[in-house]
Amino acid sequence: MKIAFISDIHGNAVALEAVLENIHQQKVDEIIVLGDIAYRGPEPKRALEMIRSLDTKVIKGNADEWILRGVEKGEVPDQALSIMQEEQKWTVGQLDEEDIDFLRHLPTDLFLEVEHVTIHAFHATPTSLFEVVLPEATDQQLVEKLTKIKPADLYLYGHIHKAYKRVADGKTILNLGSVGLPFDGISQASYAIVELHQGAFSTSHVRVPYDTERVCQQYEKAQYPNKEMMKNIIITGRND
């Protein structure tokens, strides 16, 4: 069994297209989506339609929750709150009620048993859509924040836009990175593949180049709020 896990598309349908094409070439059996589908990119509706067309397991991320109820004080730096609220309103304006309803009813985590391997997947942590657990966290922090809710062989999450793999206290933890807005200095889409067979599993990260210039042009054409900052993230792969 071969499963592709993707997350943090953030309305970047061009990157999503490139990733789905790469996944098709990898001949995976299933695609699973760990949230943050539409908000902060120039093509929120097309990205959401592409995810819905997969007819697969999808869970909710913090950016999906923001679409539903807005960005609240304390969830982002104070200096970013106003512009991110503008971005949220713009994004909601691109979607219809059916899109909103789809996001509203997404679950917040996923527990799988495949080929005698147990997998717990979530967006940020098992108990929060918003908490940040970075690659440089201590082993104790990783175990406490990511693995305590359900015992599993493999834990997967998104949210931080930085792909990594760690083993902490015997727990294998994998972050997928981001399809649409990587923050690790590599301006290529990121996702992960998990291969499973009779209790054994292996994991790998895949980086996929895509047309970043086209996405920057889309931000311009759409008159997206905060377009200069978002274009810089697309070009540099950083959110510094």
Side-chain angles (χ1 to χ4, degrees):
M1 185 76 171
K2 195 174 185 181
I3 305 175
F5 288 86
I6 67 175
S7 73
D8 297 274
I9 296 112
H10 288 286
N12 187 342
V14 174
L16 180 57
E17 276 182 327
V19 164
L20 292 178
E21 174 58 30
N22 186 271
I23 288 172
H24 177 71
Q25 294 167 1
Q26 302 277 358
K27 296 182 169 56
V28 305
D29 299 291
E30 187 174 5
I31 302 171
I32 294 176
V33 185
L34 303 191
D36 280 10
I37 300 166
Y39 175 59
R40 301 212 90 182
E43 292 191 283
K45 186 169 183 62
R46 189 161 81 97
L48 186 53
E49 287 173 345
M50 290 167 68
I51 292 299
R52 294 180 65 186
S53 73
L54 297 175
D55 192 25
T56 191
K57 299 178 183 72
V58 183
I59 65 173
K60 185 186 291 184
N62 65 295
D64 306 311
E65 183 69 10
W66 276 337
I67 285 177
L68 299 175
R69 51 85 162 156
V71 183
E72 298 178 359
K73 185 176 175 60
E75 293 176 341
V76 299
D78 286 347
Q79 65 270 25
L81 181 61
S82 176
I83 188 64
M84 289 186 70
Q85 288 173 333
E86 283 187 48
E87 291 178 74
Q88 186 268 352
K89 290 176 183 176
W90 182 91
T91 303
V92 170
Q94 310 302 307
L95 305 177
D96 59 34
E97 189 52 44
E98 188 175 330
D99 299 324
I100 301 296
D101 197 55
F102 172 80
L103 296 176
R104 182 177 292 115
H105 290 97
L106 291 177
T108 56
D109 74 338
L110 182 64
F111 191 76
L112 306 169
E113 185 166 350
V114 183
E115 290 281 342
H116 308 294
V117 176
T118 52
I119 299 173
H120 192 194
F122 37 86
H123 181 70
T125 76
T127 58
S128 171
L129 296 177
F130 295 90
E131 189 170 3
V132 173
V133 181
L134 293 171
E136 56 267 28
T138 66
D139 283 6
Q140 182 179 358
Q141 288 171 330
L142 291 177
V143 169
E144 288 294 326
K145 293 179 181 296
L146 302 178
T147 75
K148 288 296 189 180
I149 299 299
K150 293 179 180 177
D153 299 307
L154 176 62
Y155 298 85
L156 297 105
Y157 73 113
H159 189 51
I160 61 172
H161 300 211
K162 294 183 177 184
Y164 78 92
K165 179 181 179 178
R166 288 264 300 275
V167 176
D169 193 25
K171 312 287 189 181
T172 302
I173 297 163
L174 189 76
N175 189 280
L176 313 183
S178 171
V179 169
L181 284 177
F183 291 169
D184 56 8
I186 304 172
S187 55
Q188 297 181 346
S190 176
Y191 76 98
I193 290 178
V194 178
E195 296 191 56
L196 311 107
H197 181 65
Q198 296 183 351
F201 68 89
S202 64
T203 67
S204 58
H205 287 104
V206 183
R207 301 306 290 246
V208 183
Y210 70 94
D211 191 344
T212 55
E213 182 58 37
R214 179 182 168 195
V215 177
C216 291
Q217 291 170 358
Q218 289 175 336
Y219 276 112
E220 286 287 348
K221 186 175 180 180
Q223 297 185 317
Y224 185 84
N226 206 18
K227 62 185 178 182
E228 294 304 323
M229 175 182 171
M230 300 312 299
K231 284 161 52 181
N232 187 62
I233 295 172
I234 292 292
I235 292 167
T236 65
R238 293 193 178 278
N239 187 31
D240 300 330

